Amino acid sequence: MRSITLDNITEAVVGALSDDIPARNREILESALKHMHAFMKEVDLTYEEWLGAMEWMRRAGDISDDSRNEFILISDILGVEVLADMLDKKPTHNETISTVLGPFYRENPPVLPKGASIIQKDFEGQETVRVTGTIRDTEGNPVPGVTMDVWEDAPNGLYEQQDPDQPDFNLRGRFETDADGAYDFVAIRPVPYPIPYDGAAGELLKYMGHHPMRPGHIHFMIMKDGYKSLISQIYDSETEYLDNDSVFAVKEELIGTMTKAPEGADTDLVMTFDFVIRNNALLGDIAAE
Ligand code: BEZ
Ligand code: FE
């Protein structure tokens, strides 16, 4: 197309997509281009606003490295990570719902026996909680030998890798379900914390007039060969920000209740939360649906 106008620009760019590209590339690009061009026209975007966005993206790149991906944070505060998760990981057989992984997972946490504590450093005013439950398959059978990684922030609102004063791998552990599919560990009642807002994601939060806070939660990654892995979080029913999470990751089904521990218990609180995971063999059922 020789003469580009407001009316033919979208057609010109879509027309530049080669016939040789995979069908999925075409589907994604064609839709993205049409929506992006329509959005620019709808808001009558100024050149200055476009340039501001380009500079902001450059700053997002500058602050990113192997341990920080600013683009994921940006997608989180726009609800895009949780939307990708909901689209890709729809529960098919009543298994426990997933939610976002977040940037603070670390591989190979300390392997701990059933019932052990993930607390390596005490904080004043902390409340300890024994978290127990059973992992079952979608038919209700307990699943033994499930690997469960758990991680959470400390009472100062920081994950251990953000805080030089916490021991390595503090508040992280890897557990395994026993012959009855049961798990058991001791943690700290999780507190709300701000997602990192000292970079481009923080600039966007300001632009949105939104806060950076997440409700108190414990992260879970549940894995066993032959089963669909589950990445999720349990939210404390009494925490703040359940109704206005900065990354939109709360689901009603993931809210757990912490109650006062019985007399003589070794923690302040207890919480039971059961999980349901899907056997991969059920994938055949989905294909047949
Ligand atoms: C988290 O829960 O750790 C988290 C999730 C999304 C963005 C930042 C943090
Ligand atoms: Fe978190």
Side-chain angles (χ1 to χ4, degrees):
M1 216 171 274
R2 174 173 288 202
S3 181
I4 296 297
T5 66
L6 273 174
D7 291 332
N8 68 20
I9 175 68
T10 307
E11 192 194 335
V13 183
V14 170
L17 302 176
S18 162
D19 287 342
D20 298 335
I21 59 174
R24 182 65 175 159
N25 293 21
R26 173 173 293 281
E27 187 181 10
I28 287 174
L29 284 169
E30 219 180 289
S31 177
L33 283 164
K34 284 179 180 164
H35 283 283
M36 201 186 314
H37 288 199
F39 142 72
M40 290 174 70
K41 288 178 179 175
E42 186 178 313
V43 302
D44 203 8
L45 200 77
T46 67
Y47 196 83
E48 206 183 3
E49 285 165 337
W50 165 80
L51 192 59
M54 298 303 105
E55 287 298 321
W56 169 73
M57 280 199 254
R58 185 183 51 73
R59 290 193 292 282
D62 285 348
I63 205 170
S64 297
D65 58 24
D66 286 349
S67 57
R68 177 167 182 168
N69 186 334
E70 196 71 3
F71 295 95
I72 294 184
L73 278 180
I74 289 167
S75 81
D76 283 326
I77 61 187
L78 295 174
V80 171
E81 183 183 354
V82 78
L83 179 54
D85 185 64
M86 289 190 291
L87 286 169
D88 196 44
K89 309 249 171 68
K90 293 184 195 90
T92 54
H93 291 75
N94 284 327
E95 64 267 33
T96 303
I97 200 156
S98 62
T99 193
V100 302
L101 173 66
F104 298 119
Y105 177 66
R106 283 183 69 188
E107 283 178 15
N108 300 315
V111 176
L112 298 171
K114 184 166 173 253
S117 173
I118 59 173
I119 307 168
Q120 296 186 46
K121 174 182 171 172
D122 290 319
F123 282 79
E124 216 181 298
Q126 72 184 25
E127 286 182 283
T128 56
V129 56
R130 182 170 290 283
V131 187
T132 57
T134 303
I135 302 187
R136 296 193 174 81
D137 66 18
T138 53
E139 256 105 62
N141 309 303
V143 189
V146 177
T147 300
M148 178 189 245
D149 286 0
V150 304
W151 67 104
E152 63 170 347
D153 65 321
N156 63 359
L158 296 172
Y159 284 85
E160 51 85 23
Q161 71 265 58
Q162 298 177 289
D163 180 1
D165 294 331
Q166 286 181 53
D168 201 26
F169 284 104
N170 187 37
L171 298 172
R172 294 174 188 273
R174 174 167 287 177
F175 296 87
E176 199 175 289
T177 54
D178 67 11
D180 299 320
Y183 74 86
D184 181 336
F185 65 91
V186 173
I188 290 180
R189 179 173 224 163
V191 300
Y193 65 85
I195 64 165
Y197 61 98
D198 55 340
E203 290 181 53
L204 177 59
L205 281 168
K206 263 205 198 112
Y207 193 86
M208 294 167 73
H210 204 199
H211 66 78
M213 298 303 290
R214 295 223 60 217
H217 57 274
I218 301 177
H219 291 264
F220 292 81
M221 186 182 286
I222 290 172
M223 304 158 278
K224 180 173 165 82
D225 280 351
Y227 292 78
K228 188 179 157 199
S229 297
L230 173 66
I231 292 171
S232 203
Q233 305 175 18
I234 298 180
Y235 296 91
D236 175 359
S237 62
E238 288 181 24
T239 186
E240 243 188 292
Y241 304 107
L242 282 177
D243 293 307
N244 56 351
D245 179 10
S246 60
V247 305
F248 308 96
V250 178
K251 319 273 171 95
E252 188 70 41
E253 307 91 297
L254 297 176
I255 298 178
T257 306
M258 299 186 192
T259 54
K260 202 169 170 325
E263 198 67 30
D266 58 355
T267 56
D268 301 309
L269 303 161
V270 290
M271 174 170 75
T272 297
F273 198 95
D274 296 332
F275 292 92
V276 177
I277 56 174
R278 193 187 80 198
N279 190 320
N280 279 340
L282 292 174
L283 282 170
D285 291 4
I286 298 165
E289 272 164 16

